[in-house]
């Protein structure tokens, strides 16, 4: 049985604060999660703006061990084969590891350990299917197949549903059918081959006279990076959406934002 899963987590400590999962037959599992560790479980403004999840919501949620014990039982309802878990991106396995280290329940620890070692990142499959030189966001792939713009809410269950939808579309479409998709993400004619890192955003800046290039997997990661560079006493007055707009503008106009050059591919 195939499972499509997504997590939201704390900004710095990777403690899971929500889990969303969809079976291939459409069954759903969702829960907010109260991290087991009291240390570094603060829900930052960035995470609240991104996901809508607040500290108050997490404080009222079931403990992590209870959630993942229930998730173990939910997965075990189908005992005819070993679950096959798909995620999108390389962050989810790290979230599982952080929570595995805090777990004290056998079922909870078992499913987190299985997820940490058994999660299959579907993003490279999508990249190969479309013949791209870099990863493309899940939301963009959904927009391509649906033919309309969507707003990604970063709700774990919604993202899991999007992943299931993309998986089904990829399975039902040939490479030939989708060969013209995402032209901006493909190697141009006569363009030299490059070793492409798994990123969608590149930031370059000078560090003591030496050019430094940093890569990000998504626009949200880049926004988080920019947010953390702000003085702490200024962050409360800054909207995440405005940071995103300034990064995009800086990329389009090839000007600096926060004394950095941003290049969105």
């Amino acid at each position: 049985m195939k499972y499509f899963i997504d997590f939201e987590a704390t900004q710095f400590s990777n403690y899971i604060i929500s889990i969303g999962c969809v079976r291939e037959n459409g069954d759903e599992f969702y829960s907010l999660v109260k991290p087991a560790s009291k240390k570094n479980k603060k829900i930052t403004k960035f995470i609240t703006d991104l996901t809508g999840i607040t500290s108050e919501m997490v404080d009222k949620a079931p403990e992590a061990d209870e959630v993942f014990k229930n998730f173990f039982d939910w997965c075990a309802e189908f005992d005819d084969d070993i679950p096959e878990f798909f995620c999108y991106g390389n962050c989810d396995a790290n979230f599982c590891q952080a929570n595995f280290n805090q777990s004290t329940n056998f079922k909870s620890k078992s499913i987190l350990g299985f997820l940490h070692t058994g999660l299959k990142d579907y993003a490279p499959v999508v990249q190969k299917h479309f013949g791209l030189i870099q990863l493309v966001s899940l939301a963009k792939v959904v927009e391509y197949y649906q033919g309309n713009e969507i707003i990604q809410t970063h709700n774990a269950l919604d993202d899991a549903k999007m992943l299931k939808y993309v998986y089904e579309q990829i399975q039902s479409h040939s490479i030939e059918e989708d060969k013209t998709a995402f032209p901006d993400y493909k190697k141009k004619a006569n363009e030299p081959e490059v070793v492409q890192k798994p990123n969608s955003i590149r930031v370059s800046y000078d560090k003591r006279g030496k050019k430094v290039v940093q890569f990000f997997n998504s626009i949200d990661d880049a926004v988080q990076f920019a947010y953390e560079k702000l003085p702490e006493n200024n962050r409360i007055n800054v909207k995440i959406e405005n940071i995103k707009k300034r990064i995009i503008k800086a990329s389009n106009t090839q000007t600096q934002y926060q004394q950095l050059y941003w290049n969105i591919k």
Side-chain angles (χ1 to χ4, degrees):
M1 179 69 71
K2 292 179 175 60
Y3 293 74
F4 304 90
I5 195 166
D6 185 69
F7 304 101
E8 301 300 337
T10 53
Q11 186 172 359
F12 302 111
S13 54
N14 285 346
Y15 293 140
I16 294 171
I17 56 175
S18 72
I19 172 178
C21 188
V22 186
R23 287 194 188 107
E24 62 180 288
N25 66 0
D27 293 343
E28 300 174 1
F29 182 98
Y30 176 78
S31 181
L32 291 172
V33 182
K34 183 177 182 179
S37 174
K38 294 181 179 179
K39 183 180 179 181
N40 296 328
K41 73 171 186 178
K42 178 183 177 182
I43 309 301
T44 60
K45 182 177 183 294
F46 174 83
I47 294 297
T48 296
D49 289 345
L50 186 68
T51 68
I53 298 174
T54 65
S55 296
E56 291 76 17
M57 293 166 66
V58 167
D59 287 340
K60 295 177 182 178
E63 296 280 354
D65 270 349
E66 179 184 350
V67 172
F68 286 101
K69 173 183 174 296
N70 293 338
F71 184 61
F72 178 100
D73 291 337
W74 183 74
C75 293
E77 291 174 3
F78 287 83
D79 56 3
D80 54 337
D81 56 9
I82 297 175
E84 189 177 11
F85 288 98
F86 292 89
C87 63
Y88 200 86
N90 56 12
C91 296
D92 298 283
N94 295 331
F95 298 158
C96 293
Q97 181 180 27
N99 285 264
F100 174 88
N101 294 336
Q102 296 294 326
S103 180
T104 60
N105 177 275
F106 173 76
K107 288 185 176 181
S108 173
K109 213 170 186 69
S110 295
I111 194 65
L112 285 166
F114 184 85
L115 286 167
H116 173 59
T117 58
L119 272 177
K120 297 180 179 180
D121 183 1
Y122 199 63
V125 177
V126 173
Q127 182 180 0
K128 182 178 180 180
H129 175 83
F130 289 107
L132 310 180
I133 62 172
Q134 62 188 48
L135 298 181
V136 61
S137 72
L138 188 62
K140 283 185 178 295
V141 183
V142 174
E143 288 177 347
Y144 164 74
Y145 281 122
Q146 289 187 349
N148 59 276
E149 186 176 353
I150 66 168
I151 298 175
Q152 189 171 9
T153 60
H154 293 282
N155 172 278
L157 184 57
D158 288 345
D159 286 355
K161 290 179 180 178
M162 285 201 300
L163 177 55
K164 178 177 181 290
Y165 172 78
V166 167
Y167 175 89
E168 292 168 345
Q169 295 301 313
I170 293 290
Q171 295 301 307
S172 63
H173 286 73
S174 68
I175 292 176
E176 184 66 21
E177 289 178 285
D178 291 333
K179 67 179 181 180
T180 59
F182 308 113
D184 293 339
Y185 287 74
K186 294 182 178 180
K187 177 178 174 291
K188 305 296 188 297
N190 301 320
E191 194 174 76
E193 288 288 345
V194 296
V195 177
Q196 183 64 39
K197 294 178 181 286
N199 68 288
S200 58
I201 295 181
R202 183 180 69 203
V203 178
S204 61
Y205 56 96
D206 287 330
K207 186 176 183 181
R208 296 181 180 178
K210 180 181 177 181
K211 185 177 181 180
V212 178
V213 178
Q214 186 162 341
F215 295 90
F216 298 96
N217 291 323
S218 68
I219 183 68
D220 295 324
D221 290 342
V223 170
Q224 179 176 333
F225 171 79
Y227 177 78
E228 291 170 6
K229 282 179 61 62
L230 295 171
E232 191 167 352
N233 59 342
N234 290 348
R235 293 177 187 174
I236 192 171
N237 298 317
V238 176
K239 293 183 178 179
I240 294 297
E241 188 60 33
N242 288 340
I243 295 178
K244 183 175 180 179
K245 290 178 181 178
R246 290 178 182 178
I247 289 175
I248 294 173
K249 181 180 179 180
S251 175
N252 291 338
T253 60
Q254 289 297 290
T255 55
Q256 289 186 335
Y257 169 57
Q258 292 190 350
Q259 298 182 318
L260 305 176
Y261 286 103
W262 305 78
N263 184 15
I264 302 177
K265 294 293 186 180

